[in-house]
Amino acid sequence: MGSLVEALRTLIPAERVVTDPGVVSAYVRDEAQWAPYGAPAALVRAASTEDVQAVVSECAERGVPVVPRGAGTGLSGGANAIEGCVLLSLEAMNEIVEIDAHERLAVVQPGVVNDHLRAACAEQGLWYPPDPASSPWSTIGGNVATNAGGLCCVKYGVTRDYVLAVQAVVGRGEVVRLGRRTAKGVVGYDLCGLMVGSEGTLGVITEITVRLRGARAAERTVVGYFDTLEAAGEAVSAITAAGVVPSALELIDRHCLRAVDEWKNMGLSADANVLLLGRTDAPGEAGDAEADTMADCFKRAGATWSTRSTDQEEAEALFSARRLAYPALERLGPVLTEDVCVPRGLVPEMLSRIERAARDHGTHIANVAHAGDGNLHPLIIVPAGDDGARARAERAFDQIIDDAIALGGTVTGEHGVGLLKRRGLHAELDPAVVAMHHAVKNALDPAGIFNPGKVFGTPG
């Protein structure tokens, strides 16, 4: 592969083509602990669309896989290196190109960190809603690749709802612009929407135009403690049945609370087995009414304690505990992360089935959830080096996927398929539908170089 590296170094500045194993090793995988990865031929730290175009053109000519990656915060192995590939890091392409307050849009490069964009928008009285728990670290390009969601997507939608246009390098190195800057537009197929959630399998996105909203109203927070996951799930179903659309509705179980307490000493696990956090940003009396309805639903579902929080710092601390749950659990051992989504009315049943999977396979499963839209994140924790526990965890993982599909759900709500969910994808989608996806992939990636084997690859 020396000739490939030499060729790349003639096409782009040589210092951007890295082969030092000590450097490359930090880029070969994402946060999916158990997803396989290979040894790349080189790491390229792209600084421009022209760099990306040069890499794609050379790799298409040689039939070498290209694996794009951002911050590496993914949880499904979608950015993991393939043997002999070129790892294409977009982290240096981190410019906020434009924020247009009049048109309410922003143009950014893929390496821009989510929270950095949100902060820049806030300075102009604007808001970019998608807010994955990894927003302090994850990049907009990665969010687009997986169609990331977040805490407020129950009311405001996921990344695809905010992407107006993308610039991408596709095919054998062609640079294309897909989508629009206008508020409306229906010319042709929605190829921009097709790129969102494609996990790097259809091309490399080098610029993104996103829709913005005006600054949101102050939120009211409702807190509830529950003895069981099922009771918390009943509260979620009651809120849905009442017609309330909260701006956030998050669930954290006792395992996560304990892990956060042991790490950050927040004192949450002393009083609750399950914590349910609801928010509303409806203005004025409507917001008060929604908060009262959520509090009533908590009580009727059996909350051992609930209140409307009037302390903004306290409310923010509780939501920060939700964001800290995953890294807190990682301190206990490797974590296998689920991302199933079921109809909201079946959240209690799915939570019950998750607990049954833990019992059936003798494995430790913690739970956090974007409960308001039925997106559950069972976190399966395995002691490091325990092969038997790992095998049990993998069986529990498969059982949870099968249960979600059986309840009319989906195997991923926001993390993507990557490598870990390929079996689930083939179980969820009809073979004819899978064939349609392969046809799209072949049409847009005729050289077969973009992240091959991910998403629609053969489960293995």
Side-chain angles (χ1 to χ4, degrees), residues 52-303:
V52 174
Q53 184 178 28
V55 170
V56 169
S57 297
E58 187 66 24
C59 288
E61 181 70 24
R62 296 169 178 265
V64 173
V66 175
V67 178
R69 60 163 285 136
T73 60
L75 293 166
S76 64
N80 284 17
I82 297 166
E83 195 71 27
C85 75
V86 170
L87 265 179
L88 185 55
S89 171
L90 304 170
E91 63 184 340
M93 296 177 64
N94 58 5
E95 181 184 354
I96 298 175
V97 178
E98 174 188 2
I99 296 177
D100 187 327
H102 180 70
E103 295 292 341
R104 290 195 173 183
L105 61 80
V107 181
V108 302
Q109 292 183 319
V112 171
V113 171
N114 183 295
D115 271 4
H116 295 174
L117 173 61
R118 290 161 66 86
C121 292
E123 291 177 359
Q124 300 194 36
L126 298 168
W127 178 42
Y128 177 64
D131 62 339
S134 60
S135 63
W137 316 283
S138 64
T139 59
I140 299 298
N143 293 170
V144 171
T146 60
N147 194 18
L151 276 63
C152 72
C153 65
V154 56
K155 183 171 184 177
Y156 291 102
V158 294
T159 299
R160 180 178 282 118
D161 299 306
Y162 294 88
V163 177
L164 289 169
V166 298
Q167 180 186 69
V169 181
V170 298
R172 299 183 182 275
E174 299 86 358
V175 178
V176 297
R177 288 191 174 273
L178 308 171
R180 65 193 192 282
R181 287 176 62 103
T182 53
K184 295 172 67 178
V186 295
V187 174
Y189 299 129
D190 184 8
L191 297 179
C192 175
L194 184 64
M195 296 297 290
V196 182
S198 62
E199 301 187 49
T201 63
L202 300 180
V204 182
I205 294 171
T206 59
E207 189 179 89
I208 304 130
T209 302
V210 296
R211 186 195 319 270
L212 305 176
R213 288 177 171 268
R216 69 198 304 196
E219 293 180 289
R220 299 159 178 80
T221 300
V222 183
V223 183
Y225 293 171
F226 296 83
D227 280 337
T228 66
L229 284 171
E230 290 83 356
E234 292 295 344
V236 173
S237 292
I239 290 168
T240 299
V244 173
V245 182
S247 54
L249 186 55
E250 297 291 306
L251 179 150
I252 318 167
D253 80 354
R254 63 187 182 278
H255 303 300
C256 297
L257 293 172
R258 188 178 302 119
V260 172
D261 279 349
E262 290 173 354
W263 185 21
K264 298 294 185 180
N265 195 31
M266 296 180 70
L268 297 171
S269 59
D271 299 313
N273 280 329
V274 184
L275 176 65
L276 202 57
L277 301 172
R279 272 184 165 170
T280 171
D281 61 1
E285 293 181 0
D288 289 333
E290 287 193 353
D292 289 341
T293 298
M294 282 195 283
D296 182 62
C297 290
F298 283 14
K299 291 174 183 176
R300 287 190 288 108

